[in-house]
Amino acid sequence: QSALTQPRSVSGSPGQSVTISCTGTSSDVGGYNYVSWYQQHPGKAPKLMIYDVSKRPSGVPDRFSGSKSGNTASLTISGLQAEDEADYYCCSYAGSPYVFGTGTKVTVL
Amino acid sequence: QVQLVQSGAEVKKPGASVKVSCKASGYTFTSYGISWVRQAPGQGLEWMGWISAYNGNTNYAQKLQGRVTMTTDTSTSTAYMELRSLRSDDTAVYYCASSTVTHDAFDIWGQGTMVTVSS
């Protein structure tokens, strides 16, 4: 099972929106509505931001939103804030295993 | 509060085994599964496998089949991950994670356990 493909980095100024893509195949992202997104600050454990493609756990700001089209899922951060600077990973159920994305570093300019 | 607390850092020689523990508190341990995820230095996340805390059923990543064993002790609400025949590329931070909000995402994470494999 190959890792899902994410851009290595994206950046934006405070208040702007950024979108991170996560491309897989029909065997993972395209085949199930079980895509989740994780935020990871340096030296910290990952934090769940989005699950089931577009649902937000309690406590996650509504600036974070998720969507999916075909084999590509996306995470959008609206109204970018300094504390959003982190690594972000997508993850998809793939029939038995789970597969993570390659990770994207979000930089707030 | 709901949390997972993992055991401390380990240093092992190639060929040895390591067993990492993950103690749950603040929720009903047997109601949810525990996954293990690792992260090599400077690299991304890798799913290793899952165990049902209810009945002990397991599902391991194919590349680790035969080297990894996941178990639970319901009397102490603790999950364990044992990795055998360690190699240098097993050097990583190992995380346990629980799926309480939905069975297909990992919402509660342990703090991570650094395992270093070096001769």
Side-chain angles (χ1 to χ4, degrees), chain A residues 5-84:
Chain A
T5 301
Q6 297 181 231
R8 182 173 292 270
S9 64
V10 299
S11 61
S13 299
Q16 289 186 329
S17 294
V18 295
T19 297
I20 304 168
S21 60
C22 169
T23 301
T25 69
S26 59
S27 296
D28 39 62
V29 174
Y32 307 92
N33 287 324
Y34 297 136
V35 177
S36 52
W37 289 89
Y38 301 86
Q39 176 192 66
Q40 187 179 35
H41 288 108
K44 301 295 186 182
K47 175 186 176 182
L48 178 66
M49 305 302 285
I50 295 287
Y51 67 97
D52 291 354
V53 176
S54 61
K55 298 177 181 177
R56 275 189 312 277
S58 173
V60 172
D62 60 6
R63 304 184 288 106
F64 292 86
S65 61
S67 63
K68 190 186 86 167
S69 177
N71 295 337
T72 299
S74 298
L75 174 71
T76 297
I77 310 173
S78 305
L80 200 61
Q81 298 184 5
E83 61 262 35
D84 299 334

Side-chain angles (χ1 to χ4, degrees), chain A residues 38 40 44 46 96-98, chain B residues 39 47 59 95 103-104 106 109:
Chain A
Y38 301 86
Q40 187 179 35
K44 301 295 186 182
S96 175
Y98 289 82
Chain B
Q39 186 172 36
W47 181 82
N59 181 13
Y95 294 101
H103 64 283
D104 287 300
F106 317 119
W109 290 73

Side-chain angles (χ1 to χ4, degrees), chain B residues 44-60:
Chain B
L45 302 171
E46 178 187 12
W47 181 82
M48 299 178 65
W50 167 91
I51 182 167
S52 166
Y54 173 71
N55 59 16
N57 286 349
T58 55
N59 181 13
Y60 301 140

Side-chain angles (χ1 to χ4, degrees), chain B residues 2 5-6 13 17 19-21 30 33 37-39 50 55-56 59-60 65 69 72 94-95 97 102-103 105 113 118:
Chain B
V2 177
V5 178
Q6 299 183 222
K13 294 192 181 303
S17 298
K19 191 170 186 177
V20 180
S21 68
T30 51
V37 176
R38 69 180 180 178
Q39 186 172 36
W50 167 91
N55 59 16
N59 181 13
Y60 301 140
Q65 289 273 3
T69 300
T72 60
Y94 288 75
Y95 294 101
T102 177
H103 64 283
T113 297
S118 174

